[in-house]
Amino acid sequence: MSVGDMLAATVPMARTLNLQFLETTPERAVVALPDQGDYHNHVGGPHAGAMFTLGESASGAIVLAAFGDQLSRAVPLAVRAEIAYRKLAMGPVTATATLGRPAAEVVAELDAGRRPEFPVTVAIRREDGAVTGEMNVVWILRPTD
């Protein structure tokens, strides 16, 4: 099962918005939100809540891709998120997420018995490449022991 399939199966909101997981690697996750009238705002573009969910889903995808092998001993949890809407988004939008710390460094903290915290940055873009939103999500790996 791919990371995108796993997220769609376990996170109902991702299915509700029909998110498309285009790329999910430990280095980068790219998730698309199709243009859907049911999720438009008052100016005809994607609603801010839909774009937030898109960005958070992209951050979750990279977390699962980077740390999926740690799920037997830790639970990934988003602990805070901030989003800035930079330009008007119209039509389909795509979120690209990247880890803010090396995965090996995060796993080393987990190995040392700590609860590592790490940021994920997300850029949300229109089809023309313009960045319409920027998001920062802080995650932890909470040990299950």
Side-chain angles (χ1 to χ4, degrees):
M1 181 181 283
S2 73
V3 170
D5 291 339
M6 185 186 330
L7 275 170
T10 58
V11 181
M13 183 62 95
R15 285 192 313 273
T16 299
L17 291 177
N18 301 307
L19 298 180
Q20 300 166 346
F21 294 85
L22 307 177
E23 180 182 338
T24 51
T25 70
E27 292 76 36
R28 186 171 105 132
V30 181
V31 182
L33 174 65
D35 187 21
Q36 303 166 88
D38 286 345
Y39 305 112
H40 281 178
N41 57 21
H42 63 289
V43 295
H47 189 277
M51 288 196 300
F52 185 95
T53 300
L54 169 68
E56 196 275 341
S57 296
S59 77
I62 198 169
V63 168
L64 284 178
F67 304 110
D69 61 340
Q70 304 300 318
L71 295 180
S72 64
R73 66 183 186 133
V75 176
L77 298 168
V79 293
R80 62 185 175 276
E82 182 179 88
I83 192 166
Y85 301 101
R86 302 288 183 204
K87 291 184 179 190
L88 184 61
M90 299 298 281
V93 289
T94 304
T96 302
T98 55
L99 283 177
R101 289 180 61 197
E105 185 179 287
V106 173
V107 172
E109 281 187 30
L110 186 63
D111 290 343
R114 295 196 299 272
R115 188 176 89 165
E117 185 174 286
F118 55 94
V120 175
T121 58
V122 181
I124 301 171
R125 291 182 172 82
R126 302 186 299 224
E127 281 187 310
D128 67 0
V131 174
T132 64
E134 295 173 321
M135 188 172 193
N136 292 299
V137 183
V138 176
W139 289 80
I140 62 164
L141 292 180
R142 187 189 75 198
T144 54
D145 304 357

